[in-house]
Amino acid sequence: MEEAGVAVTTAGEAELNLSRLSVSAETLESELESRGEERRGSREALLRLLLPHNRLVSLPRALGSGFPHLQLLDVSGNALTTLGPELLALRGLRTLLAKNNRLGGPGSLPKGLAQSPLARSLQVLNLSGNCFQVVPASVLELRALQTLSLGGNQLQSIPAEIENLRSLECLYLGGNFIKEIPPELANLPSLNYLVLCDNEIQSVPPQLSQLHSLRSLSLHNNLLTYLPREILNLIHLEELSLRGNPLVVRFVRDLIYDPPTLLELAARTIKIRNISYTPCDLPENLLRYLSLASNCPNPKCGGVYFDCCVRQIKFVDFCGKYRLPLMHYLCSPECSSPCSSASHSSTSQSESDSEDEASVAAHRMQKVLLG
């Protein structure tokens, strides 16, 4: 048997490295039991146990009794199809690395995980490179998670319950088959890093602008043709990766416009003309409708819209080098661009508006990866 490494760190804490041992599972189990017995009479607390690349098909039984103070467990690169109940005995575990295994089928995670002490202690969970088709429901109950990695699986979607992970700072979901980003993702107040690259995402919900702590957003190798205009509100965003998307290369305006309903015309008139009213003056459905007004972003318009609007893609320059297509919504086709008879000064003003947006946003983006 190869010599196992024990690296003693500070204050009597230790790391046990049993990676890449050319031994049978029984021999490895025996070694772990022996090490666990040694620790029971020692003042050294074993905090880190490394078991990657050992062809394990199940967690060693010795985990359940010999390592009560373990904070990090690495079982990556094995052949695990389940993480058994032995995991639940690690009551203080903070980091679990189980990437590149065969997890993903029914019962891959231990029953009762969400009700165990791990739900309060586990901060880092890496399940990348497995076979998950959905995010396990028990993972969505690990309220202390700060980092969740599920890249390189077979995920088809991101569940709305992702918003339960309120402590999440880093979410890695690259290399899946995700087609949509749920707006609930915007309800993660501490999220700093969001990786959604190498999926099949076609659009970004404007709600993501509520991720005020976001510093890095990776969206490369998707099916994006534009970004919502609201992305400029991500004031702490430093890195935006967009390469490998079919981003449009010229101004594109969708002027398909259904006339507004009588309800919308009435609501627009009240808003634009600042008509005063009391709840007794208007029908209840109109009162509710008035609260849904959105301001037209055209600074020369001052109008509002409700259900009926015109989509426009507008390019904004970042860092003097990249042109980023941003989607915004206008109240009518007349707001979309200068008409054919407009003077040159009107066109210049339109270009100036684009430059103004660019100057506001450029200092927020230190790195925009389009190529």
Side-chain angles (χ1 to χ4, degrees), residues 48-283:
R48 299 164 58 89
L49 178 58
L50 310 182
L51 299 173
H53 306 291
N54 277 303
R55 295 174 292 182
L56 294 173
V57 296
S58 62
L59 292 180
R61 295 185 303 275
L63 282 179
S65 58
F67 306 94
H69 303 292
L70 208 60
Q71 294 184 3
L72 181 147
L73 174 63
D74 186 355
V75 290
S76 301
N78 284 289
L80 297 171
T81 57
T82 61
L83 297 176
E86 297 84 3
L87 187 66
L88 303 182
L90 305 176
R91 303 171 65 88
L93 194 67
R94 297 180 183 176
T95 300
L96 174 59
L97 308 178
K99 59 185 179 180
N100 300 330
N101 279 285
R102 300 175 185 174
L103 302 168
S108 291
L109 302 182
K111 186 177 181 180
L113 176 61
Q115 293 76 39
S116 72
L118 284 178
R120 298 184 296 274
S121 69
L122 199 60
Q123 298 175 0
V124 178
L125 177 59
N126 191 329
L127 296 173
S128 293
N130 282 285
C131 308
F132 289 100
Q133 295 184 7
V134 298
V135 179
S138 57
V139 169
L140 299 171
E141 297 297 328
L142 301 177
R143 305 302 176 96
L145 272 187
Q146 297 177 7
T147 298
L148 174 60
S149 299
L150 276 162
N153 279 276
Q154 301 170 20
L155 300 179
Q156 306 288 324
S157 62
I158 305 172
E161 292 79 8
I162 194 74
E163 67 181 358
N164 294 341
L165 305 180
R166 304 281 291 176
S167 299
L168 207 59
E169 298 177 4
C170 177
L171 179 59
Y172 188 100
L173 297 175
N176 284 286
F177 302 99
I178 298 167
K179 295 180 174 59
E180 296 181 355
I181 303 174
E184 289 81 3
L185 197 59
N187 298 330
L188 299 176
S190 302
L191 197 64
N192 291 325
Y193 299 92
L194 177 58
V195 180
L196 296 171
C197 59
D198 299 290
N199 279 287
E200 300 174 1
I201 298 168
Q202 299 184 35
S203 63
V204 176
Q207 289 88 345
L208 286 197
S209 63
Q210 300 170 24
L211 292 172
H212 300 303
S213 297
L214 197 64
R215 296 173 55 190
S216 177
L217 176 59
S218 295
L219 291 167
H220 52 270
N221 298 331
N222 276 286
L223 302 175
L224 296 172
T225 56
Y226 66 88
L227 293 177
R229 186 173 185 269
E230 289 83 357
I231 201 170
L232 295 177
N233 296 329
L234 295 173
I235 59 175
H236 296 297
L237 195 64
E238 299 173 355
E239 182 173 353
L240 174 63
S241 178
L242 292 171
R243 64 182 184 274
N245 280 284
L247 293 170
V248 289
V249 295
R250 67 178 186 276
F251 284 98
V252 178
R253 295 183 176 90
D254 183 0
L255 298 182
I256 298 174
Y257 182 70
D258 294 326
T261 63
L262 291 177
L263 176 63
E264 176 151 354
L265 287 174
R268 286 191 183 198
T269 300
I270 292 172
K271 285 290 188 180
I272 293 172
R273 298 187 179 182
N274 292 320
I275 298 174
S276 59
Y277 60 89
T278 68
C280 299
D281 297 331
L282 300 174

Side-chain angles (χ1 to χ4, degrees), residues 266-306:
R268 286 191 183 198
T269 300
I270 292 172
K271 285 290 188 180
I272 293 172
R273 298 187 179 182
N274 292 320
I275 298 174
S276 59
Y277 60 89
T278 68
C280 299
D281 297 331
L282 300 174
E284 185 177 347
N285 65 326
L286 182 54
L287 285 172
R288 289 195 303 267
Y289 198 66
L290 286 168
S291 65
L292 304 177
S294 298
N295 293 321
C296 182
N298 186 341
K300 297 181 178 181
C301 174
V304 298
Y305 64 87
F306 295 83

